[in-house]
Amino acid sequence: MIQEHIHRLTELLDNSKDSHRAVGMKQYMRNQFDFLGVTSVPRKEMFSTWKRQLPQNLSSEQRWEIIYELWEKEEREFQYVAMDWLNSWKISEIQELDHDNFKFLISSKSWWDTVDLLSSNVLGKYGQKFPEKMLEVIEEWSVENSFWLHRATIIFQLRYKQKTNLNTLENQIVRFKSNKEFFIQKSIGWSLREYAKTDPNWVEKFVEKHEIVGLAKREALKYVNRK
């Protein structure tokens, strides 16, 4: 049954592939991934068609089996569909043990296009549903040798606004602020810039208190005190 769903999606995507566009999409991603050349609008339409045909009674194990099958596909559009589906899951559909699955997806075929959406959407939902477990996950991921996992622990609260756990945000930024990796510095600035929409004074004081500098500081204060 699982392979039938994968085959149906493959047919939908293959029917709209564009080899010329695929070259440009691959170059945009620094030639790290192959593409079929299906852009976001038609892809999302295909996803909607495909999703409507999925059985409503799929178990969590079956849903994850499909996600893993899509993640193993060579062309990047399959990972995008996997994320489209994951991001459509209601918070009630997310299970406590799913953190291991999120870890795999963030750590595999990693680049900002997948890591950022996974972190700010489905991982964010996980943190809302299982806040205590999320604290354990953060500690576990923070000692892993993967700056993508580290980035995820910094930006998973992007959509939390006033519900942001400021202790967690502060701890993670302080923990990684000396890491010169571009994607870490960018995530620090991004997380602070987003929270500045809720409390710009807190962000301004935070940047000064912890001596946030460079790219992270520029991003954090981008909209603070803007006339």
Side-chain angles (χ1 to χ4, degrees):
M1 180 182 70
I2 299 301
Q3 290 305 318
E4 291 178 5
H5 301 316
I6 301 297
H7 179 70
R8 186 161 56 247
L9 176 62
T10 301
E11 285 187 329
L12 287 170
L13 291 171
D14 279 344
N15 288 337
S16 295
K17 65 183 179 182
D18 183 323
S19 58
H20 178 72
R21 185 178 287 116
V23 172
M25 294 170 75
K26 183 175 182 178
Q27 290 175 342
Y28 180 70
M29 287 297 168
R30 300 186 181 181
N31 298 312
Q32 295 187 88
F33 312 105
D34 289 328
F35 284 83
L36 292 168
V38 181
T39 55
S40 61
V41 172
R43 188 196 78 235
K44 288 182 181 297
E45 292 174 351
M46 292 173 208
F47 162 68
S48 295
T49 299
W50 176 73
K51 182 185 175 186
R52 285 195 299 270
Q53 296 173 343
L54 291 175
Q56 297 298 307
N57 60 346
L58 286 173
S59 66
S60 177
E61 290 76 14
Q62 289 172 321
R63 287 188 289 130
W64 275 110
E65 184 177 349
I66 294 173
I67 293 292
Y68 273 72
E69 288 279 350
L70 296 177
W71 216 258
E72 291 301 315
K73 291 286 188 179
E74 184 175 358
E75 292 84 6
R76 196 60 163 171
E77 286 88 347
F78 288 99
Q79 284 93 68
Y80 292 161
V81 170
M83 290 192 301
D84 289 338
W85 192 25
L86 273 170
N87 292 335
S88 75
W89 290 7
K90 299 176 182 177
I91 196 168
S92 61
E93 296 178 291
I94 297 174
Q95 307 297 313
E96 186 170 0
L97 295 180
D98 282 344
H99 63 85
D100 283 335
N101 294 316
F102 300 146
K103 181 179 181 181
F104 172 80
L105 298 183
I106 291 170
S107 302
S108 306
K109 300 187 176 181
S110 308
W111 197 239
W112 60 264
D113 58 335
T114 53
V115 172
D116 292 359
L117 282 175
L118 289 168
S119 301
S120 62
N121 285 286
V122 69
L123 184 62
K125 292 177 184 177
Y126 181 90
Q128 289 177 320
K129 186 173 183 179
F130 304 107
E132 295 302 319
K133 186 62 181 180
M134 187 66 197
L135 293 178
E136 296 179 18
V137 170
I138 288 170
E139 291 304 311
E140 175 192 326
W141 291 11
S142 293
V143 297
E144 292 281 349
N145 186 27
S146 167
F147 67 79
W148 293 115
L149 287 174
H150 302 165
R151 180 175 170 95
T153 68
I154 296 170
I155 65 173
F156 78 95
Q157 298 190 88
L158 282 179
R159 298 175 182 232
Y160 283 22
K161 298 181 180 180
Q162 69 274 12
K163 295 182 180 180
T164 300
N165 184 322
L166 295 177
N167 287 332
T168 297
L169 180 62
E170 181 171 9
N171 289 342
Q172 288 309 99
I173 291 176
V174 171
R175 175 178 271 164
F176 292 113
K177 71 172 187 175
S178 298
N179 187 323
K180 301 304 180 183
E181 165 60 47
F182 169 83
F183 286 107
I184 293 298
Q185 291 298 309
K186 187 76 172 181
S187 67
I188 290 172
W190 187 14
S191 62
L192 290 172
R193 184 184 74 204
E194 197 63 25
Y195 188 65
K197 297 175 183 177
T198 298
D199 191 343
N201 291 330
W202 186 91
V203 170
E204 191 170 25
K205 291 176 182 177
F206 180 94
V207 168
E208 181 178 359
K209 173 184 176 182
H210 293 291
E211 299 180 331
I212 304 300
V213 298
L215 171 63
K217 180 178 181 178
R218 292 194 299 273
E219 288 291 321
L221 301 180
K222 193 170 185 177
Y223 302 118
V224 174
N225 294 328
R226 173 171 285 190
K227 300 294 185 179

